[in-house]
Amino acid sequence: KGGKGKGKGKGGGERGSKRGRDEGGAGEPSPKRGRGGAAEGAQKGSETTEAGTSYEPGCIVAVKDLAEGSDISSVKEKLNDAAGAGAVRFVEIVEGQPLAFVRFGTPAAATAALGASVEGVGSLSMLTGDDEKAYWDKISAAAPKSGKGGKGKGGKGGGKGKGDGKGGKGK
C-alpha cells in the first residue's frame, strides 16, 4: 500500500501528474509545441537560397587581408572579444588565400564586430546581397542532406559468433 510504485495514491496532484482538467488536474492546458513559437520567430526577416535553405541576412563577415599565422581559434577568440562571448558560430579560412568568412549567431553580433577595432585579424566587411546568398548556397550544398546519414552496418551486431573459436573445455 505505501510503496514507492506508480499509481494512484497519496500525492496525486504532484508535479508530473498527467491528470487533465476534467480529472481535477491543472486548470490551464499546456501550450502545444510546434504552433508558432521560436520556429516562426526565426522566419521573420529571413531569406531563402536557391537550394531552399533559409538564412538570416547580415550574419556573415568577410575577413580580407587575414593576418599571417592566423588560425580558426585565434580569429574566433578575437572576434568573440569584440562582439561578445559566443557570438561567433563558425570560422572558415580559405586555403591559400588571406581570406576568412566568419558566421555570427545574430546580425547584431556581426555589426558589433564590424564596429569594434579588432587588431591582428584583417579588414572586416559584411557580406550582403548576391555575395551573401552565394555563400549560403555554398554552405547548404556542402551540408549533408536530411535523412539517415552514413552507411552504418545495418542489422544486428557482429559479435563473436559460435564456433571457430579457441574451443574452451577439453582437448
Side-chain angles (χ1 to χ4, degrees):
K1 287 183 181 178
K4 293 184 180 181
K6 294 181 181 178
K8 293 183 181 179
K10 198 162 91 167
E14 291 177 9
R15 274 182 22 175
S17 171
K18 295 200 177 199
R19 294 176 127 188
R21 282 183 289 176
D22 298 338
E23 298 175 48
E28 290 294 316
S30 62
K32 302 240 182 218
R33 289 184 171 205
R35 294 185 184 175
E40 269 184 25
Q43 296 300 323
K44 291 180 182 176
S46 68
E47 294 189 20
T48 306
T49 65
E50 291 177 17
T53 303
S54 66
Y55 67 94
E56 190 170 8
C59 291
I60 307 289
V61 171
V63 182
K64 296 174 183 167
D65 303 322
L66 187 65
E68 195 172 320
S70 294
D71 62 1
I72 291 171
S73 60
S74 67
V75 171
K76 191 172 187 175
E77 181 182 335
K78 289 175 183 177
L79 292 175
N80 269 332
D81 288 346
V88 175
R89 297 284 189 241
F90 186 78
V91 176
E92 175 193 1
I93 295 180
V94 179
E95 195 173 325
Q97 297 181 36
L99 176 66
F101 295 99
V102 182
R103 188 174 358 163
F104 288 87
T106 63
T111 304
L114 287 172
S117 62
V118 183
E119 293 192 24
V121 175
S123 61
L124 306 178
S125 63
M126 184 80 69
L127 273 189
T128 58
D130 290 340
D131 291 335
E132 183 178 27
K133 195 170 232 178
Y135 186 80
W136 282 104
D137 276 334
K138 182 182 90 165
I139 291 172
S140 62
K145 304 293 179 215
S146 61
K148 290 188 176 185
K151 293 182 179 179
K153 285 186 175 182
K156 296 182 179 181
K160 288 186 176 182
K162 293 183 181 178
D164 293 345
K166 285 185 176 180
K169 288 185 184 180
K171 310 175 186 178

